[in-house]
Amino acid sequence: MKSFAQLMHSRRSCRKFTQEKIDPEALSLVLNAALLSPSAKSRRSWHFVVVEDKNTLEKLADCKESGAALLKNAAVAVVVTANVAENDCWIEDCSIAALAMQLQAEDLGLGSCWVQVRNRGLNSGERAVDIVRGILNIPEGFDTLCILALGHKASELPLKNDDDAPWEQVHVGTF
Ligand SMILES: Cc1cc2nc3c(=O)[nH]c(=O)nc-3n(C[C@H](O)[C@H](O)[C@H](O)COP(=O)(O)O)c2cc1C
């Protein structure tokens, strides 16, 4: 296991995956990281749809004009949804759960990439959230924040270094 600081330097958005499948135990650890993540008032109103079927991955890859094509070659996609009426902090809760999965994936040596769904769509005006709902039978009242692409990295991206951290955006005392 990497130190947390090493983990934060090594996690990069991985958009190219090998064809190797993800070990079920590793996938279970990734999902567990989401399920153990903090949520507002501990409501835990997220739901996660795990997709491994190639045909379904290809359909999800077309849910918006750009930035989702990488789902086509992912081993697994985890669709992060929540009951929005039940929780006014659903975006925060889903974001935390998604990042927890990304960090757990990195710790296992797996690559991941966040694919934004909320507020995205096709040029036709069709919303990505509705396209994803149709593909996966997600009930009305649930919205999708993002889809995490997961898989074995096809190549290693450079580690982040301290120059990548915009310290000028940290204001001590006052802005
Ligand atoms: C809210 C959010 C939405 C993102 N949406 C996408 C996306 O739709 N497609 C994509 O390829 N990457 C997406 N990314 C990944 C970012 O492009 C990436 O995190 C950023 O360029 C920094 O690179 P790094 O993750 O390697 O540090 C998203 C990241 C975040 C946090």
Side-chain angles (χ1 to χ4, degrees):
M1 170 164 166
K2 294 173 178 154
S3 74
F4 190 76
Q6 285 170 329
L7 200 61
M8 292 307 289
H9 284 83
S10 60
R11 187 222 50 83
R12 299 294 316 276
S13 292
C14 175
R15 299 184 176 90
K16 292 202 170 103
F17 304 99
T18 69
Q19 290 305 300
E20 194 182 341
K21 289 199 180 313
I22 296 183
D23 172 67
E25 268 183 39
L27 183 57
S28 160
L29 278 172
V30 169
L31 291 163
N32 210 42
L35 297 170
L36 293 178
S37 65
S39 67
K41 298 186 182 167
S42 208
R43 281 206 175 118
R44 308 192 300 180
S45 55
W46 16 243
H47 285 247
F48 306 97
V49 185
V50 180
V51 178
E52 291 176 283
D53 175 64
K54 276 279 159 212
N55 192 32
T56 312
L57 289 170
E58 281 176 17
K59 286 186 190 161
L60 291 172
D62 291 332
C63 74
K64 59 178 186 168
E65 292 297 334
S66 63
L70 65 121
L71 288 167
K72 282 186 188 152
N73 67 23
V76 177
V78 180
V79 180
V80 182
T81 70
N83 184 330
V84 302
E86 191 180 273
N87 182 359
D88 63 350
C89 288
W90 75 274
I91 297 172
E92 292 84 347
D93 291 351
C94 285
S95 299
I96 290 167
L99 182 62
M101 286 192 276
Q102 289 199 277
L103 293 175
Q104 178 62 82
E106 178 60 34
D107 196 47
L108 293 164
L110 297 169
S112 73
C113 189
W114 178 309
V115 173
Q116 181 71 11
V117 172
R118 190 180 72 88
N119 286 345
R120 297 288 182 269
L122 298 177
N123 289 340
S124 63
E126 210 178 344
R127 298 187 322 150
V129 73
D130 294 327
I131 297 170
V132 172
R133 182 189 310 290
I135 297 168
L136 300 175
N137 243 341
I138 295 171
E140 290 297 330
F142 282 74
D143 274 357
T144 296
L145 175 71
C146 65
I147 304 174
L148 277 197
L150 295 165
H152 290 270
K153 301 171 193 177
S155 58
E156 285 293 334
L157 289 165
L159 296 184
K160 295 196 180 201
N161 59 48
D162 288 334
D163 294 340
D164 292 316
W167 273 96
E168 66 283 4
Q169 288 168 227
V170 177
H171 310 275
V172 179
T174 59
F175 193 94

